[in-house]
């Protein structure tokens, strides 16, 4: 496929996706929005094993692909501004990530704001990471991935884990991530109209719910302020249209400046967490394949 054909295909697929989403507008109120977000989730593929699991009191599920190396695991932290998102909204995406990475995925249903503001999500993610270590997974064979708020949580959890004396994971994957709850960056203005999947008023609302009066500059809230020296290899994927684009760009630069092995990917014409729509978007499937290969390469998978 030529570059032009590739671009034309992406444009046609994106047009269809936006029409689909325009017919399903985001509702007011976080409870209605939770139901709406879950309604966009797809069933998990039939060949993926699904096993509910209790992670020290936190609901989760193991997702096991047909080809699986049992000594590796990926911890998946969903997005949704710490307010929306669940096993339902992201199960199909996490399952496809398991397939591409050839390992089991522990998909965590961490506590959400406003009922459970900071540090509930951080504590639950750290608990899940410790749980994997206690079950014999070596740190270098663990990867951690997340999207949007979950992508920021990937980094802030590792900051928190290190502060508690835990070893760092083998690889980190951050998709369309929210790294600065202070809501800074040029893209919040420059790309506000380009990304049909994110509204600034919603970002501001969920930030208030999660912060609950806390200072957004804390590194375990906004990891853009963290010391990343010695961190694992980091893959950052972000769409060209994203209102949160500046967050990913700033995090990539900060990590590189502090000596982290960073792979930064800007995906042309893509919107916020386009991976969730991989059944409609070729670029969603390709991005998940890239994630799988990154995890395989960085966590010591057998060739």
């Amino acid at each position: 496929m030529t570059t032009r054909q590739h671009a034309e295909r992406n444009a046609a697929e994106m047009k269809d996706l936006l029409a689909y989403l325009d017919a399903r507008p985001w509702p007011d109120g976080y409870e209605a929005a939770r139901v709406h977000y879950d309604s966009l989730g797809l069933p998990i593929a039939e060949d993926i094993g699904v096993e509910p699991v209790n992670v020290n009191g936190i609901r989760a599920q193991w997702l096991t692909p047909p080809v699986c190396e049992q000594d590796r695991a990926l911890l998946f932290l969903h997005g949704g501004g710490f307010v929306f998102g669940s096993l339902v909204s992201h199960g199909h995406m996490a399952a496809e990530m398991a397939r591409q990475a050839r390992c089991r995925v522990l998909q965590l249903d961490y506590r959400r704001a406003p009922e459970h503001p900071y540090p509930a999500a951080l504590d639950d993610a750290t608990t899940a990471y410790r749980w994997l270590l206690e079950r014999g997974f070596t740190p270098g064979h663990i990867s951690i991935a997340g999207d949007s708020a979950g992508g920021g949580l990937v980094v802030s959890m590792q900051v928190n884990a290190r502060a508690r004396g835990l070893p760092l994971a083998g690889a980190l994957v951050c998709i369309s991530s929210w790294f600065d709850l202070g809501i800074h960056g040029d893209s919040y203005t420059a790309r506000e109209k380009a990304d049909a999947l994110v509204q600034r008023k919603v970002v501001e609302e969920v930030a208030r719910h999660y912060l609950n009066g806390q200072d957004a500059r804390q590194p375990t809230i906004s990891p853009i302020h963290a010391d990343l020296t010695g961190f694992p290899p980091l893959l950052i994927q972000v769409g060209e249209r994203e209102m949160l684009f500046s967050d990913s760009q700033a995090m990539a630069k900060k990590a590189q400046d502090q000596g982290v092995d960073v792979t930064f990917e800007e995906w042309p014409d893509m919107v916020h967490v386009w991976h969730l729509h991989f059944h409609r978007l070729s670029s969603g499937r390709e991005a998940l394949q890239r994630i799988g290969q990154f995890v395989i390469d960085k966590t010591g998978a057998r060739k």
Side-chain angles (χ1 to χ4, degrees):
M1 182 179 290
T2 67
T3 301
R4 179 177 177 179
Q5 289 171 329
H6 193 274
E8 289 174 347
R9 180 202 64 186
N10 285 350
E13 291 177 345
M14 182 57 65
K15 182 179 179 181
D16 289 344
L17 172 63
L18 294 179
Y20 169 81
L21 294 172
D22 284 345
R24 295 159 179 80
W26 192 263
D28 292 329
Y30 73 87
E31 292 178 334
R34 284 174 175 173
V35 175
H36 174 73
Y37 202 18
D38 280 358
S39 75
L40 299 177
L42 295 176
I44 293 171
E46 292 183 358
D47 65 340
I48 301 292
V50 181
E51 178 189 353
V53 62
N54 184 312
V55 177
N56 292 351
I58 309 161
R59 195 164 72 106
Q61 60 188 14
W62 276 119
L63 303 172
T64 304
V67 178
C68 181
E69 297 174 8
Q70 296 289 337
D71 61 339
R72 295 190 297 117
L74 186 153
L75 173 60
F76 182 80
L77 306 173
H78 68 76
F82 301 107
V83 172
F84 323 116
S86 69
L87 302 181
V88 175
S89 63
H90 285 70
H92 65 295
M93 173 179 161
E96 186 61 21
M97 201 175 290
R99 186 194 310 281
Q100 297 299 332
R102 300 203 311 260
C103 69
R104 285 191 292 169
V105 165
L106 181 65
Q107 186 189 5
L108 190 69
D109 198 20
Y110 59 80
R111 289 171 293 167
R112 300 174 298 185
E115 301 93 334
H116 304 285
Y118 173 84
L122 177 73
D123 289 344
D124 288 357
T126 307
T127 294
Y129 180 61
R130 188 191 298 271
W131 187 86
L132 287 173
L133 293 170
E134 290 171 347
R135 271 145 190 80
F137 290 99
T138 61
H141 286 177
I142 298 174
S143 51
I144 310 168
D147 69 288
S148 196
L153 186 57
V154 166
V155 180
S156 60
M157 183 274 278
Q158 285 286 273
V159 172
N160 190 50
R162 182 165 64 180
R164 281 155 177 69
L166 298 177
L168 296 176
L172 308 179
V173 177
C174 299
I175 299 166
S176 300
S177 297
W178 194 20
F179 294 118
D180 184 359
L181 271 69
I183 310 179
H184 301 108
D186 293 342
S187 61
Y188 281 93
T189 300
R191 309 192 191 201
E192 183 177 6
K193 304 300 183 183
D195 191 343
L197 276 73
V198 180
Q199 301 173 30
R200 181 165 185 145
K201 68 176 184 178
V202 175
V203 174
E204 293 171 346
E205 178 186 5
V206 296
R208 286 194 299 271
H209 285 321
Y210 185 61
L211 289 171
N212 194 33
Q214 293 283 331
D215 184 353
R217 292 171 295 180
Q218 295 179 66
T220 51
I221 291 177
S222 297
I224 194 65
H225 300 296
D227 177 8
L228 306 178
T229 305
F231 257 51
L234 173 62
L235 171 62
I236 296 175
Q237 292 183 335
V238 64
E240 179 187 19
R241 295 185 179 212
E242 295 206 45
M243 191 176 75
L244 272 62
F245 184 89
S246 295
D247 279 41
S248 291
Q249 192 174 48
M251 178 58 78
K253 184 180 186 306
K254 179 184 181 73
Q256 287 171 341
D257 289 347
Q258 295 186 343
V260 179
D261 175 7
V262 181
T263 302
F264 178 78
E265 297 181 355
E266 177 183 351
W267 285 71
D269 204 38
M270 290 299 108
V271 294
H272 191 62
V273 197
W274 68 99
H275 312 60
L276 279 168
H277 310 285
F278 69 86
H279 60 298
R280 294 176 179 272
L281 298 177
S282 302
S283 290
R285 296 188 291 275
E286 292 166 6
L288 287 166
Q289 290 166 4
R290 292 288 292 272
I291 290 170
Q293 192 60 55
F294 177 84
V295 169
I296 288 169
D297 291 342
K298 301 300 184 182
T299 58
R302 295 185 294 275
K303 301 299 183 182

